[in-house]
Amino acid sequence: MSDMTRPLRRYWTAGRPIERTAYLVGAVLMLWGAAHAVVFLLDDRPWAGPLSWRKPTTFGLSFGLTLISTAWVATTLPLAERTRRRLLGALTVACVVEVALVSLQAWRHVPSHFNMETPLNTVISQTLAAGGFALVTIYGTLTAVSFRANPAVSRSTRLAVRVGLVLLMAALGIGAAMIVRGVTAVYAGNPHLAYTTAGALKPAHAITLHAILVLPALVWLLSGTRWRESVRHRIVTVAATCYLVASFAVLLAVIR
């Protein structure tokens, strides 16, 4: 096990300042999400619904994990140093803003998304939506870079990263569709419908979002074996194919 954890420790000790910052902020966001899970247990709010503690909990955990995973994955991409700093810096800020605003609205006992009831709520809702589109730009760039030739990285790693980023882009597309559907319902005068119609896409959003963690983590697990790279690549190919099929099946199930 020490042989497998040594590369993870090296990501921190030998990591660039922006990468260590992303790891640290991601860990704080995960702790923030876990803290809100405790708040949920102590409070009487239901888990479901726009006023629950679920959103700051899941946003903290998901954004924290995704930020850490992305900073880790970015070490395998052929990025110019200035571009790396800008992309990871922007991503870190976006993650903090998204989690902070969702948490603020939870403590204010008002919905965070599709809430146009007051000028402040409108600004917060629009900022959250803008943050989502900023993430599309950041991850779109990372996805494009992942398809550049990079012989310094193993084929299994390149495959895991590419599929993980493509699925993450799909998750962001689903998130954008959720926003559009919700905002359309709000402006049509039916805010309740906004939460039910947008929320129906959450399972597809969730499974595609975390491929960027699952598939590279598989590569890390395989790095602890004595198997040849050709064997590792076949295993990752099968895993990536299964993940793609599962994601497509979940998407079909929620849009029917």
Side-chain angles (χ1 to χ4, degrees):
M1 181 59 68
S2 61
D3 290 340
M4 294 179 67
T5 58
R6 190 176 298 116
L8 294 181
R9 293 196 299 269
R10 188 167 62 248
Y11 281 121
W12 174 263
T13 57
R16 303 168 179 86
I18 187 59
E19 293 164 355
R20 291 199 297 269
T21 299
Y23 297 145
L24 181 60
V25 172
V28 171
L29 292 178
M30 291 180 64
L31 289 173
W32 183 257
H36 280 85
V38 175
V39 173
F40 161 73
L41 293 175
L42 298 176
D43 199 6
D44 58 356
R45 291 196 214 175
W47 180 251
L51 300 181
S52 74
W53 293 112
R54 171 185 52 80
K55 296 194 75 171
T57 299
T58 56
F59 266 62
L61 293 173
S62 293
F63 271 93
L65 270 173
T66 303
L67 178 58
I68 292 171
S69 302
T70 303
W72 171 31
V73 161
T75 63
T76 70
L77 300 180
L79 287 164
E81 289 307 308
R82 179 179 295 182
T83 302
R84 186 186 307 275
R85 288 194 300 271
R86 289 179 175 175
L87 289 174
L88 290 182
L91 177 62
T92 301
V93 171
C95 289
V96 170
V97 170
E98 292 283 310
V99 174
L101 291 182
V102 165
S103 302
L104 172 64
Q105 294 298 73
W107 284 100
R108 293 181 65 227
H109 302 275
V110 296
S112 55
H113 291 78
F114 320 132
N115 186 350
M116 312 293 183
E117 295 296 323
T118 68
L120 175 59
N121 289 329
T122 299
V123 169
I124 290 176
S125 182
Q126 291 176 344
T127 301
L128 288 169
F133 287 107
L135 293 175
V136 170
T137 301
I138 294 168
Y139 278 109
T141 303
L142 292 174
T143 302
V145 171
S146 73
F147 282 90
R148 294 178 184 171
N150 189 13
V153 176
S154 68
R155 285 200 306 154
S156 57
T157 299
R158 294 198 302 270
L159 176 62
V161 169
R162 287 168 179 170
V163 175
L165 284 171
V166 167
L167 282 172
L168 197 151
M169 286 299 295
L172 294 175
I174 294 169
M178 293 166 66
I179 292 172
V180 170
R181 292 173 69 173
V183 170
T184 300
V186 168
Y187 281 112
N190 196 341
H192 176 72
L193 182 63
Y195 298 105
T196 56
T197 57
L201 294 173
K202 286 177 184 176
H205 179 68
I207 189 172
T208 50
L209 179 66
H210 292 298
I212 194 61
L213 169 65
V214 174
L215 295 177
L218 174 61
V219 173
W220 168 69
L221 289 173
L222 291 173
S223 69
T225 70
R226 297 181 181 274
W227 296 336
R228 299 188 306 274
E229 170 58 19
S230 59
V231 175
R232 297 178 189 178
H233 184 262
R234 285 197 294 270
I235 293 173
V236 173
T237 299
V238 172
T241 301
C242 291
Y243 206 110
L244 285 166
V245 171
S247 299
F248 187 67
V250 172
L251 180 60
L252 282 181
V254 299
I255 63 178
R256 284 181 178 178

